[in-house]
Amino acid sequence: MKEGKSRAYWRKNLTYLSVLLTIWFLVSYVCSIIFVEPLNQIQFAGFKLGFWLAQQGSIYVFVALIFIYVFLMNRLDGEYHLDEEDHP
Amino acid sequence: MSVQAWTFLLVGLSFALYIGIAVWSRARSTGDFYVAGGDVNPVMNGMATAADWMSAASFISMAGIISFIGYDGSVYLMGWTGGYVLLALLLAPYLRKFGKFTVPDFVGDRYYSRTARVVAVICAIFVSFTYVAGQMRGVGIVFSQFLGVDIDMGVVIGMVVVFIYAVLGGMKGITYTQVAQYCVLIFAYMVPAIFISLLMTGNIVPQLGFGSKLADGSGEYLLHALDNLNQQFGFAAYTDGTKSTVDVFFITAALMVGTAGLPHVIVRFYTVPKVSAARVSAGYALLFIALLYTTAPAVAAFARTNLLKSIADKPYTEAPGWYKSWEDIGLITFDDKNGDGVINYVGNKQANELTIDRDIMVLANPQIAGLPPWVIALVAAGGLAAALSTAAGLLLVISTSFAHDLMKKSFRPQTTEKEELLFARIAAGAAVLIAGYFGINPPDFVAAVVAFAFGLAASSFFPAIILGIFSKKTTREGAVTGMIVGIAFTASYIIYFKFINPSMNSADHWWFGISPEGIGTLGMLINFALTITISKFTAEPPQDVQELVEHIRLPGEKTAMIS
């Protein structure tokens, strides 16, 4: 593969990583830890929002983030013809 | 049928299944032994990773701990799941593309140095041994509580079973038994959780029942009632917690990064056929883990509510049947300090009369809720599945580190494949014996140290691997110094506060208010800073290493073959 092309692929990957990891950080560290008390003022069903995020919500977001990354990268691999054979 | 008969039946059946699978999937080459031939289906690998990852601590202890500390327990819930995001996005795909057998393999090749490899092997063995001893102990405890077998005998039975399938089957045997073990453990966790959720809130899904109204007709939300109960007896409100924000932040980070740096988890991603499979497999692993991890906080809240309602402030003579049976084996103790015959279970330590072992919250939950005997037996089989699957994964890392990283790659390069396989089997056998010994004679420090394995992994491997992939110019000198200083700093802080001077172990004396549990995060930052700085002032890595880094960043280009 050409140098320029592989660099473009890598840059795109780094963009995806920074966006997804920012969400990862916001949900867990910012919402569930640093600002948990103000968020606890918001109630839904029997949960305080901050508490729910810390014990349930953040975990669902983590699962979603990985599957979104899988989807984005599979598409990117296809665009750059980097997808692999089934038996390398 | 009695609980004990059910337990013998279910545990016996599950063991027969594990051994059957091991015989069917025997390892024939080192590739089979170390990475299951490298052709495991990603969904299967996800299940195996989940079982590998969820130990006796996740299955038995976690809900109990959360039950006692409420919001503060979130550090475990987020810490032990959030690490998979790092693993899937930053490590697994690249290490799979690199495509050898172990973490020290990567560190040794990427940092073109035998020293780096040996440092990595020592860290891997140290982390894995502290972890595995706790698992064998867990096996012993489950046996003794549910089958009336002596704890030592329980450990020996566990050793024999692990020996058969880890030594015979290697990674291949372990992978397929772990798939079976995941099914057993998740079923065993969910069934009582669903029953209890139905009983307490009328909602069949524990994750939702947790936020529903109590089914006792009071119309009150469960968590709200629990906050009130906790405060009524002088404990902090369940949804608030007592740890400082800084400490919660650092502990969560240490657990997350440590998870991503644990060698027995990373090595699972070498077993799938290609890079895209490694990514999606991490997704499945977290999905399967999340099933248990989102149920655990619900179980914790149910158990806490039940406990306070059924025994706090009740006359001792009226305590329920399950209470007496756990008191008999010393996991609940009652000391009637004011002699009024009432169980005063309160937040104030001087006045409190009741001590409850946190482990019984999951084990006793089905009894507390009055569930049928087969459900109680199922919990025993599930606890064993969780402990055995993790022990096997760790033993494999130890044997691989010895046979492959130390013998073949560092000190005896002329080793043939057949010899290497033999060494690996002998090392696995020896590791089982040592782990069993620690299970029978647990040194006091083992239990204390298991929780710190994460801090040690976070401060040693994680920066070396991340920088190795994302920064081509990171040098051998930088990485080796970073790993050594990172792990030494973290270990000294922990040893000082936990063993040398435990009386100083309080927020007033900690650096920046960070507890020993969270110090791995600081160790990791020091490691990053040192590695990056030193790399700026040392000679660039050789050209072929820089090309190797280019190569692992691109999935489709000639994936390295498994021998």
Side-chain angles (χ1 to χ4, degrees):
Chain A
M1 178 183 263
K2 291 256 168 56
E3 179 110 340
K5 245 185 119 189
S6 57
R7 207 162 276 171
Y9 171 86
W10 185 244
R11 259 204 308 273
K12 198 87 190 241
N13 178 22
L14 293 181
T15 313
Y16 291 156
L17 288 178
S18 35
V19 172
L20 295 173
L21 288 175
T22 306
I23 300 174
W24 169 82
F25 186 81
L26 284 177
V27 171
S28 49
Y29 294 93
V30 178
C31 296
S32 307
I33 299 177
I34 300 174
F35 292 116
V36 66
E37 277 166 36
L39 287 172
N40 272 344
Q41 304 308 316
I42 305 169
Q43 282 261 346
F44 73 99
F47 291 113
K48 294 179 185 169
L49 182 60
F51 176 82
W52 181 81
L53 276 173
Q55 300 214 334
Q56 298 273 301
S58 56
I59 302 176
Y60 301 133
V61 173
F62 295 154
V63 176
L65 286 174
I66 299 184
F67 281 102
I68 293 169
Y69 181 67
V70 168
F71 168 79
L72 290 173
M73 288 310 281
N74 284 346
R75 203 179 57 180
L76 191 67
D77 287 353
E79 276 169 29
Y80 284 81
H81 305 290
L82 282 168
D83 26 10
E84 307 143 284
E85 303 285 316
D86 266 336
H87 294 286
Chain B
M1 247 162 78
S2 71
V3 173
Q4 204 171 44
W6 270 112
T7 312
F8 272 110
L9 180 72
L10 291 181
V11 169
L13 280 177
S14 63
F15 277 22
L17 177 69
Y18 306 152
I19 291 174
I21 293 172
V23 172
W24 163 72
S25 56
R26 265 193 328 279
R28 291 183 177 81
S29 65
T30 50
D32 276 357
F33 197 89
Y34 296 146
V35 293
D39 63 353
V40 178
N41 172 295
V43 181
M44 296 275 228
N45 189 52
M47 278 193 199
T49 309
D52 200 343
W53 168 241
M54 292 191 285
S55 60
S58 294
F59 190 93
I60 300 172
S61 311
M62 195 174 61
I65 298 174
I66 298 170
S67 181
F68 288 105
I69 61 178
Y71 166 78
D72 288 345
S74 316
V75 297
Y76 302 109
L77 294 167
M78 288 192 285
W80 288 339
T81 51
Y84 277 85
V85 178
L86 298 176
L87 197 60
L89 271 54
L90 302 176
L91 302 173
Y94 311 107
L95 291 175
R96 174 61 196 90
K97 178 68 194 296
F98 170 71
K100 291 211 181 145
F101 295 133
T102 65
V103 175
D105 258 341
F106 176 77
V107 174
D109 286 9
R110 168 61 184 82
Y111 294 112
Y112 43 102
S113 139
R114 202 168 85 172
T115 317
R117 184 189 295 271
V118 174
V119 170
V121 176
I122 293 169
C123 295
I125 293 180
F126 185 66
V127 170
S128 304
F129 256 122
T130 52
Y131 220 95
V132 79
Q135 302 305 319
M136 296 313 284
R137 192 69 190 165
V139 172
I141 290 175
V142 173
F143 265 105
S144 72
Q145 284 177 11
F146 288 91
L147 297 171
V149 184
D150 187 56
I151 290 196
D152 295 356
M153 190 61 202
V155 173
V156 172
I157 298 172
M159 279 165 63
V160 172
V161 175
V162 174
F163 186 86
I164 292 174
Y165 71 74
V167 174
L168 251 187
M171 187 58 129
K172 204 169 168 200
I174 288 175
T175 301
Y176 295 106
T177 35
Q178 280 174 338
V179 171
Q181 282 160 337
Y182 176 77
C183 300
V184 171
L185 84 86
I186 200 69
F187 187 68
Y189 205 82
M190 296 309 291
V191 169
I194 290 170
F195 265 113
I196 293 169
S197 181
L198 264 175
L199 271 170
M200 296 195 61
T201 64
N203 198 321
I204 193 164
V205 184
Q207 285 86 341
L208 302 177
F210 185 31
S212 305
K213 290 180 177 158
L214 285 168
D216 60 3
S218 64
E220 207 180 0
Y221 281 117
L222 177 113
L223 283 170
H224 190 235
L226 181 53
D227 276 349
N228 287 343
L229 275 172
N230 251 2
Q231 284 171 320
Q232 183 191 329
F233 294 108
F235 298 96
Y238 189 80
T239 52
D240 284 345
T242 55
K243 284 193 166 83
S244 74
T245 303
V246 173
D247 202 23
V248 171
F249 191 103
F250 272 78
I251 297 177
T252 308
L255 295 177
M256 278 196 193
V257 177
T259 300
L262 281 179
H264 72 287
V265 175
I266 293 179
V267 75
R268 289 235 50 98
F269 295 94
Y270 287 107
T271 65
V272 293
K274 53 185 181 168
V275 175
S276 54
R279 289 187 204 120
V280 75
S281 183
Y284 285 119
L286 184 58
L287 184 67
F288 293 132
I289 292 168
L291 199 53
L292 189 144
Y293 272 60
T294 53
T295 307
V299 170
F302 296 147
R304 181 76 183 167
T305 312
N306 250 335
L307 180 82
L308 289 174
K309 284 193 165 178
S310 57
I311 54 176
D313 238 5
K314 295 278 184 308
Y316 178 67
T317 45
E318 288 172 23
W322 60 264
Y323 176 93
K324 299 267 157 65
S325 72
W326 291 92
E327 191 179 33
D328 286 346
I329 49 176
L331 291 176
I332 297 182
T333 49
F334 170 60
D335 169 19
D336 196 3
K337 289 177 186 157
N338 57 7
D340 63 357
V342 170
I343 304 171
N344 293 302
Y345 179 50
V346 291
N348 179 337
K349 284 208 171 73
Q350 267 82 47
N352 179 40
E353 300 178 344
L354 187 72
T355 320
I356 305 165
D357 189 293
R358 62 185 191 201
D359 288 351
I360 71 172
M361 297 306 270
V362 165
L363 300 177
N365 221 1
Q367 282 171 287
I368 298 178
L371 301 183
W374 66 270
V375 179
I376 300 170
L378 199 55
V379 172
L384 286 172
L388 290 176
S389 57
T390 307
L394 290 161
L395 290 169
L396 192 86
V397 167
I398 296 170
S399 78
T400 315
S401 297
F402 178 78
H404 181 73
D405 298 319
L406 279 184
M407 299 299 285
K408 169 95 180 171
K409 290 296 181 112
S410 301
F411 298 114
R412 200 171 175 278
Q414 73 276 25
T415 309
T416 64
E417 165 150 350
K418 219 173 146 196
E419 283 173 340
E420 195 183 333
L421 192 57
L422 181 67
F423 285 146
R425 287 200 158 112
I426 294 171
V432 173
L433 290 178
I434 298 171
Y437 174 82
F438 282 132
I440 293 171
N441 306 300
D444 287 338
F445 65 86
V446 167
V449 167
V450 171
F452 301 118
F454 294 90
L456 299 176
S459 60
S460 56
F461 290 124
F462 186 75
I465 302 175
I466 291 288
L467 290 172
I469 297 163
F470 289 86
S471 157
K472 268 192 285 188
K473 309 283 183 200
T474 306
T475 65
R476 156 178 80 187
E477 292 79 2
V480 172
T481 321
M483 281 195 287
I484 294 175
V485 175
I487 202 168
F489 166 80
T490 307
S492 347
Y493 191 89
I494 293 170
I495 292 167
Y496 178 78
F497 281 115
K498 283 286 174 181
F499 306 111
I500 300 181
N501 213 340
S503 60
M504 298 270 283
N505 191 11
S506 67
D508 307 336
H509 302 106
W510 296 336
W511 292 5
F512 316 111
I514 305 168
S515 62
E517 286 83 356
I519 199 66
T521 308
L522 194 59
M524 172 194 79
L525 295 174
I526 294 175
N527 182 342
F528 267 118
L530 270 178
T531 310
I532 293 169
T533 316
I534 294 175
S535 295
K536 288 231 187 311
F537 298 103
T538 40
E540 263 190 21
Q543 198 53 40
D544 59 320
V545 170
Q546 300 201 29
E547 277 163 20
L548 169 79
V549 177
E550 289 285 347
H551 168 81
I552 60 173
R553 290 176 176 181
L554 303 173
E557 293 211 312
K558 291 207 275 36
T559 301
M561 298 279 282
I562 299 290
S563 66

